[in-house]
Amino acid sequence: MYFYSLQKHLQFNAKALLRRSPTLLFARNTAHKPCSSQAKQVKVESSDEVINITTPLPMRSATCFLVGMACKLFLKLACSQVHLRNFDRLLKQVESRAPGTSLITIQNHATTLDDPILWGALPARSLASPHLVRWSLAAKEIIFINPLFSAFFAAGQTIPIIRGAGIYQPAMDVALELLDKSGWINIYPEGKVNRDKPLLPFKWGVGRLIQETVSTPIIIPIYHSGMLNIYPGDGVILPRLGKQLVVSVGSPINIRELLKDDAGFQNISPDDTDRARSYITNIVRMQLDDLREETLAWMQEKGIDSGFRPNK
């Protein structure tokens, strides 16, 4: 039921947005100070329309379950084999994490179909319960393009983010409220599709979510490979069948414990929230990069093609 409280939070103007006073990691209580350009962008996007992802529970339940089961069927038909490495780490946090604990999953972004296709790996019992399904940030200009699409993706627990509008925008505040209510947010911190092996620099938004959530969230890195073989893009419309897919889940990250004895982080001034946010973002990127190296080495050992190729 707490998702219904989002409607009040989503229906606001730019001035209301900029009043958020965050509870930062390690009691860093300095309020953010977004630049005027960020405020202007948010105001332009918010002045003429209401950003609303609040959808009745039955509609969210039906959408999440039907889309999830369709993705499950797709994985069964399109893939010769789906390798789920340490997937129990994710299931444990999705289904039975401690009360009051939020979850952030971070992934590489190889194709436009990564979400929702990869969530077809979840069991049907999770897909049938909206509170066990992720909320995802997605580019507003790509998928929230008309009332029908907006209603569908909102029912699928997707939050419209404006790329280029900075980390202080309505979508990020919505994601923070969900995390404050022990929700699950999935994010692609590279900020766009990346078809090459090296991870792109992460956007600071992931750092803000980690830093400003009321209670420190559990962070789980997920690295997948093989989606490029299934859906390579470049004008290819139909998926290619008979490919192998690997979904590798890393160990849960407790950022508070990780940074407790980190000299580099402890040397950052409590007033320098931007530097702290950047540091946290880089730490999380290194965790996903380590998982990437581990996964690709395992795939090479097993003779599985990753499908990666240089970006154009």
Side-chain angles (χ1 to χ4, degrees):
M1 293 298 292
Y2 66 81
F3 292 113
Y4 294 123
S5 69
L6 289 177
Q7 187 165 15
K8 181 175 72 173
H9 190 79
L10 287 163
Q11 297 177 346
F12 53 73
N13 57 30
K15 289 183 180 179
L17 165 67
L18 301 180
R19 292 193 190 110
R20 180 179 174 93
S21 181
T23 303
L24 302 178
L25 185 65
F26 300 156
R28 297 173 183 270
N29 294 317
T30 303
H32 63 66
K33 298 178 180 179
C35 66
S36 59
S37 63
Q38 290 172 325
K40 182 178 180 182
Q41 286 174 302
V42 172
K43 185 175 182 180
V44 168
E45 294 293 333
S46 302
S47 59
D48 296 329
E49 63 177 327
V50 172
I51 299 176
N52 188 357
I53 58 168
T54 307
T55 305
L57 181 61
M59 187 176 296
R60 287 195 292 113
S61 297
T63 302
C64 292
F65 181 72
L66 292 175
V67 172
M69 294 306 292
C71 292
K72 188 177 288 293
L73 179 62
F74 177 89
L75 291 178
K76 183 175 182 179
L77 297 178
C79 301
S80 61
Q81 191 169 2
V82 178
H83 305 270
L84 301 178
R85 301 186 67 242
N86 301 314
F87 205 71
D88 58 307
R89 294 172 175 171
L90 176 63
L91 289 180
K92 180 180 178 181
Q93 297 302 325
V94 168
E95 299 183 338
S96 58
R97 63 183 179 277
T101 304
S102 55
L103 174 63
I104 298 176
T105 49
I106 57 171
Q107 295 188 53
N108 60 307
H109 200 7
T111 78
T112 54
L113 294 183
D114 296 346
D115 191 317
I117 293 297
L118 294 175
W119 300 123
L122 289 171
R125 65 177 183 272
S126 296
L127 299 171
S129 304
H131 70 283
L132 299 181
V133 176
R134 95 290 173 262
W135 284 81
S136 185
L137 295 162
K140 178 179 180 291
E141 72 275 14
I142 294 178
I143 63 173
F144 285 78
I145 56 176
N146 58 50
L148 180 61
F149 277 37
S150 296
F152 173 74
F153 284 106
Q157 302 193 165
T158 305
I159 306 168
I161 194 165
I162 304 168
R163 294 191 292 187
I167 64 174
Y168 301 112
Q169 60 170 294
M172 294 300 294
D173 272 37
V174 171
L176 280 167
E177 181 162 326
L178 286 163
L179 291 171
D180 288 346
K181 299 295 185 179
S182 307
W184 169 20
I185 295 290
N186 180 68
I187 189 170
Y188 295 99
E190 293 175 282
K192 64 178 183 178
V193 170
N194 175 24
R195 298 180 297 182
D196 203 358
K197 285 185 181 179
L199 296 175
L200 298 173
F202 280 10
K203 303 298 183 181
W204 282 15
V206 65
R208 184 188 175 204
L209 294 181
I210 295 168
Q211 192 182 38
E212 296 186 18
T213 303
V214 170
S215 60
T216 306
I218 295 295
I219 307 159
I220 294 187
I222 301 174
Y223 187 84
H224 59 87
S225 186
M227 281 297 294
L228 276 173
N229 287 328
I230 297 171
Y231 187 70
D234 295 335
V236 176
I237 299 177
L238 297 177
R240 295 173 176 174
L241 306 181
K243 306 297 183 181
Q244 296 190 63
L245 176 65
V246 177
V247 181
S248 188
V249 180
S251 299
I253 303 168
N254 186 317
I255 198 70
R256 187 179 295 271
E257 291 298 319
L258 191 64
L259 297 178
K260 182 172 61 175
D261 299 319
D262 189 298
F265 184 78
Q266 297 303 323
N267 287 334
I268 299 175
S269 167
D271 296 326
D272 195 349
T273 56
D274 284 347
R275 187 180 171 199
R277 184 180 303 115
S278 176
Y279 197 93
I280 292 170
T281 300
N282 289 334
I283 288 289
V284 172
R285 184 185 183 279
M286 285 191 290
Q287 297 291 316
L288 184 57
D289 200 39
D290 288 345
L291 180 62
R292 176 185 70 87
E293 294 286 352
E294 173 193 318
T295 304
L296 293 178
W298 180 86
M299 291 177 64
Q300 185 175 16
E301 179 183 334
K302 299 294 183 179
I304 302 173
D305 177 26
S306 68
F308 281 112
R309 58 197 185 281
N311 283 314
K312 293 184 177 180

